[in-house]
Amino acid sequence: MFIQRVFLILTMVITLVFGTGVGWSQESADLDRSGFVDAQDQLLLLEQWQTGGTFAPDVVEAEEQVDVAIMDVALPADNRPEVTFTLMDGAGNPIDPASLRTYRFIIAKLIEDDPVEGYTQYQSYNTVEASNEVGDEPPGTVMATQATYDSGRGPSGGMAVNITDNGDGTFTYKFADEVVIAPADMGLTHTVGAQIEYNLDGRVTDANPLFNFVPSGAPVSTVRELTNVMTCNACHTDLGIHGGHRKEVGLCILCHNPAEGNIDPDSGNPIDMTEMIHKIHMGANLPSAPTEEFVIYGFMNSEHNYSHVHYPMDIRNCESCHTGTDSNPDQADFWKEHPSRRACGSCHDDVNFDTGEGHSDNNFPAVDAACKTCHPAAAIESSHQIPRKEEDFPLLMSEILSVAATTPGATPTVTFNLTQDVDGVVTDVDPGSLNRVAVTVAGPTVGDYDMFWTETIGGNATDNGDGTLTYMLSQALPDEAMGTWAFGLEARGDGIEDFEGERPSLVQNPVHYAAVTDAAPVPRREVVDFAKCNLCHDELRLHGTLRVSYEYCILCHKPNGTDISRVPEGVDPSTINFKDMIHKIHRGADLNTDYTVYGFGGTPHNYNEVHFPGEMNRCDVCHEEGTYGLPTPAGTAPTI
């Protein structure tokens, strides 16, 4: 009824504003472009109100996507490289280069600092001089030699400048500027990258093709592929920098390299990929963060301050970014096999490699290859090891086998097992030996949970002698209980000194559904794919590592849940309903109002500095397909 009333009001407003003609609907109110203003458009308008004006991004069909592949690079006598490439849409149809919005090319050489040890870095041939305009130093006093593109001075006036149609489905781009390759560098790997933007009906799609070659004609044997953009997009959804058009890590490192003078002149900070990306992700946890800020000035002197960035997982997860590529998976280990002062010093920025200050005994290596003398791969891996991920860290596991006596007013009994896996050896665990073992009961599952309670099991479970345990709850189900109720377990051991005091806890919280008045158990609807959470969070563990499963979290974080029992006197409570809480946390810095939740011991947790690393309107990043948007599921409870 409410939705129908809203539709009626919207229809009246639209009619008053636009009239009843057809013309207005095609551009303003026909949100789904169906040719009609109908109920679907009204739903979309409601969605727009609820999401602050953002819709899920348009799906670009394959035939609309620009597809570019560099086929060859020639080095003519005039020293202006010629790049042969294909240019078509996703359906294989050729695209006229004149219809491109932008095309730019860059060429860089892969310098082998130490060919024996395998240290590499790019250096671009295309550079531009820049000086500081803002920042702490007087304007014009700090100079930089930054990598840039060769743009061909086009496209301009609808003409494709410096591009030749070869008549065979390929095109050749000729650099506008000379690129002089020294004889000593003819045997090095060189890489050409491009930024191609194709504008079709107002929607821009991008291509960042790459091509490796050796000017001497020798086969390519050395590449730098420490990671790939799909790894980045596990958190960033669709990583696009500099206006959203540079998406490939392989393209980024052609500009963001450690060549002399390749800095941000306004801040003096490095823009080398190794240093910059580590510092950005380390953010608020940099040793220098309490007193210094890591700032990069970008286009139009825009300030980008990364000193408040909090990496959403343990920063020691080096392997989460260092994955290598499909063609070079071995480079996933580059970070530990080839330590460098740039890489290590970017996170450990309290070490001065010029003076040795902050380094052991003020000793420091003169060359990167010497780092491995004291820091071999095994030692580096060990120092970055997360205790919970070590092979012999105890893993607690549990399964709820059955729940009996679940009729209204009855007192349920829960039968479960509790085991521990230590380096492949699995043994039963006495609940009384652990720091905590508890059961949570919530119901009903349909229409969202509106009641829950938790009971500590401790040593009160009965050992059935067959590896199973049974616990009878002290509280009965309500007499008015209906539908299906959920039963979940949590367990945690004491801190282990050998593992930095880390406490073993359940690998997964088991949740069991039991029918109360239903003919058969009806599980709570699935909304979130917890595996998607851990793409960013690696291993999400909350409330003292006790709660590790979304299905278990929502037993307590229900629509009528608030932090009212923990807020200080005079402070308004906040909702802890999972839907609202998680959306607010991830919205963070973009919220219009404060969001603070009071937790254990009355500790305030403010989330207004959280910056979501992905696209906020990509609901599928967290949600299961078809679980978001309007209309809401039948019986959904309102948030208190």
Side-chain angles (χ1 to χ4, degrees):
M1 180 63 70
F2 170 76
I3 294 295
Q4 290 175 340
R5 288 175 179 172
V6 172
F7 284 172
L8 179 60
I9 293 170
L10 286 174
T11 303
M12 292 172 64
V13 170
I14 290 171
T15 302
L16 285 171
V17 174
F18 298 104
T20 57
V22 177
W24 60 268
S25 68
Q26 301 306 314
E27 301 208 353
S28 55
D30 183 17
L31 298 177
D32 63 356
R33 300 179 184 178
S34 65
F36 302 93
V37 178
D38 51 21
Q40 180 62 27
D41 295 310
Q42 293 170 326
L43 284 173
L44 287 172
L45 182 56
L46 284 175
E47 180 184 342
Q48 191 176 39
W49 282 356
Q50 291 192 357
T51 59
T54 61
F55 290 120
D58 286 338
V59 175
V60 179
E61 302 297 335
E63 60 270 17
E64 300 173 332
Q65 176 68 51
V66 62
D67 187 7
V68 184
I70 298 175
M71 312 301 294
D72 191 26
V73 178
L75 301 171
D78 62 2
N79 292 325
R80 293 170 58 199
E82 297 173 349
V83 183
T84 301
F85 61 97
T86 59
L87 177 62
M88 58 188 68
D89 63 25
N93 303 311
I95 293 176
D96 182 354
S99 67
L100 296 176
R101 191 173 82 165
T102 300
Y103 55 85
R104 299 167 174 169
F105 290 80
I106 183 174
I107 183 170
K109 59 184 176 182
L110 186 60
I111 299 172
E112 298 179 64
D113 295 343
D114 189 325
V116 175
E117 297 295 340
Y119 287 86
T120 61
Q121 60 174 279
Y122 272 107
Q123 183 175 324
S124 175
Y125 287 97
N126 310 103
T127 60
V128 63
E129 298 299 316
S131 63
N132 64 313
E133 297 179 14
V134 294
D136 297 332
E137 302 299 324
T141 60
V142 180
M143 301 301 298
T145 304
Q146 297 179 334
T148 188
Y149 282 90
D150 187 292
S151 65
R153 317 296 185 254
S156 175
M159 297 180 60
V161 181
N162 283 14
I163 291 183
T164 301
D165 187 341
N166 299 322
D168 60 357
T170 68
F171 301 88
T172 297
Y173 172 81
K174 189 173 182 67
F175 272 57
D177 298 320
E178 287 190 357
V179 172
V180 179
I181 300 175
D185 294 335
M186 294 294 286
L188 298 179
T189 297
H190 283 59
T191 302
V192 168
Q195 176 186 336
I196 309 291
E197 299 174 26
Y198 178 48
N199 189 338
L200 179 67
D201 297 330
R203 288 184 292 180
V204 179
T205 64
D206 307 278
N208 295 158
L210 299 165
F211 183 79
N212 296 321
F213 70 102
V214 177
S216 68
V220 174
S221 59
T222 303
V223 295
R224 185 176 176 86
E225 297 181 0
L226 279 58
T227 189
N228 63 84
V229 72
M230 295 307 297
T231 298
C232 303
N233 285 341
C235 281
H236 292 288
T237 313
D238 184 17
L239 188 63
I241 310 297
H242 298 288
H245 307 297
R246 299 171 199 173
K247 298 175 176 291
E248 290 292 336
V249 175
L251 180 67
C252 298
I253 60 178
L254 300 185
C255 281
H256 291 277
N257 58 63
E260 185 176 356
N262 194 17
I263 63 170
D264 168 24
D266 295 300
S267 66
N269 284 321
I271 57 173
D272 166 36
M273 194 77 168
T274 298
E275 293 187 68
M276 183 179 67
I277 295 303
H278 282 161
K279 282 184 174 290
I280 288 174
H281 288 75
M282 191 71 166
N285 293 314
L286 283 168
S288 63
T291 57
E292 298 179 22
E293 295 182 329
F294 182 66
V295 175
I296 297 291
Y297 289 89
F299 184 66
M300 299 293 290
N301 298 324
S302 56
E303 180 182 301
H304 303 272
N305 190 324
Y306 299 102
S307 302
H308 302 291
V309 171
H310 289 269
Y311 194 53
M313 65 176 76
D314 193 307
I315 197 67
R316 293 172 292 182
N317 271 304
C318 302
E319 66 274 9
S320 66
C321 294
H322 290 268
T323 57
T325 61
D326 289 342
S327 55
N328 286 280
D330 57 306
Q331 293 207 14
D333 295 330
F334 196 96
W335 65 275
K336 59 186 175 183
E337 294 177 349
H338 302 89
S340 68
R341 291 163 292 175
R342 288 186 297 119
C344 298
S346 57
C347 285
H348 303 280
D349 68 350
D350 52 350
V351 176
N352 187 321
F353 285 103
D354 292 326
T355 66
E357 183 181 358
H359 200 270
S360 177
D361 300 324
N362 282 350
N363 254 338
F364 59 96
V367 294
D368 288 337
C371 295
K372 292 194 285 189
T373 303
C374 298
H375 304 284
I380 294 174
E381 183 176 25
S382 176
S383 66
H384 291 79
Q385 180 65 270
I386 299 170
R388 187 175 294 279
K389 291 188 174 184
E390 295 191 33
E391 290 184 1
D392 54 347
F393 185 82
L395 303 177
L396 282 177
M397 297 172 292
S398 180
E399 180 184 5
I400 297 177
L401 303 171
S402 63
V403 179
T406 58
T407 55
T411 302
T413 58
V414 180
T415 299
F416 63 100
N417 58 30
L418 187 60
T419 59
Q420 178 176 264
D421 182 336
V422 179
D423 208 10
V425 178
V426 180
T427 56
D428 292 332
V429 176
D430 176 8
S433 68
L434 297 180
N435 172 273
R436 178 175 173 82
V437 180
V439 59
T440 296
V441 184
T445 57
V446 175
D448 296 329
Y449 301 114
D450 63 11
M451 180 179 179
F452 88 99
W453 75 89
T454 299
E455 295 187 13
T456 301
I457 295 175
N460 296 321
T462 300
D463 188 338
N464 298 321
D466 59 357
T468 67
L469 302 152
T470 298
Y471 172 74
M472 174 177 283
L473 274 74
S474 61
Q475 181 174 333
L477 292 173
D479 291 336
E480 65 275 13
M482 298 181 65
T484 296
W485 283 53
F487 297 76
L489 282 174
E490 60 186 56
R492 177 183 64 200
D494 292 318
I496 305 173
E497 185 176 349
D498 291 344
F499 295 98
E500 301 179 10
E502 189 77 35
R503 295 183 289 189
S505 53
L506 287 180
V507 173
Q508 183 176 4
N509 299 117
V511 174
H512 181 89
Y513 297 101
V516 177
T517 60
D518 288 332
V522 179
R524 202 267 191 187
R525 70 184 189 278
E526 294 185 6
V527 176
V528 171
D529 182 347
F530 196 67
K532 293 182 178 180
C533 301
N534 284 335
L535 288 175
C536 277
H537 294 287
D538 182 55
E539 193 176 26
L540 197 58
R541 291 182 169 274
L542 299 165
H543 298 287
T545 75
L546 276 168
R547 288 124 204 201
V548 293
S549 302
Y550 151 76
E551 193 178 15
Y552 186 69
C553 296
I554 59 177
L555 301 187
C556 299
H557 291 277
K558 51 193 178 58
N560 60 4
T562 73
D563 61 353
I564 192 169
S565 64
R566 291 173 173 171
V567 298
E569 185 177 353
V571 176
D572 290 333
S574 294
T575 177
I576 59 169
N577 182 24
F578 201 80
K579 172 190 68 175
D580 300 271
M581 181 180 70
I582 297 303
H583 283 160
K584 283 180 176 290
I585 288 174
H586 287 76
R587 183 77 171 174
D590 293 320
L591 287 171
N592 296 318
T593 57
D594 174 82
Y595 184 61
T596 300
V597 173
Y598 286 82
F600 183 72
T603 304
H605 299 273
N606 181 272
Y607 298 101
N608 289 90
E609 285 193 358
V610 172
H611 292 268
F612 186 61
E615 294 183 355
M616 187 62 68
N617 59 357
R618 281 287 302 275
C619 303
D620 61 311
V621 168
C622 300
H623 280 266
E624 296 276 15
E625 184 65 32
T627 62
Y628 50 91
L630 296 171
T632 56
T636 304
T639 299
I640 300 300

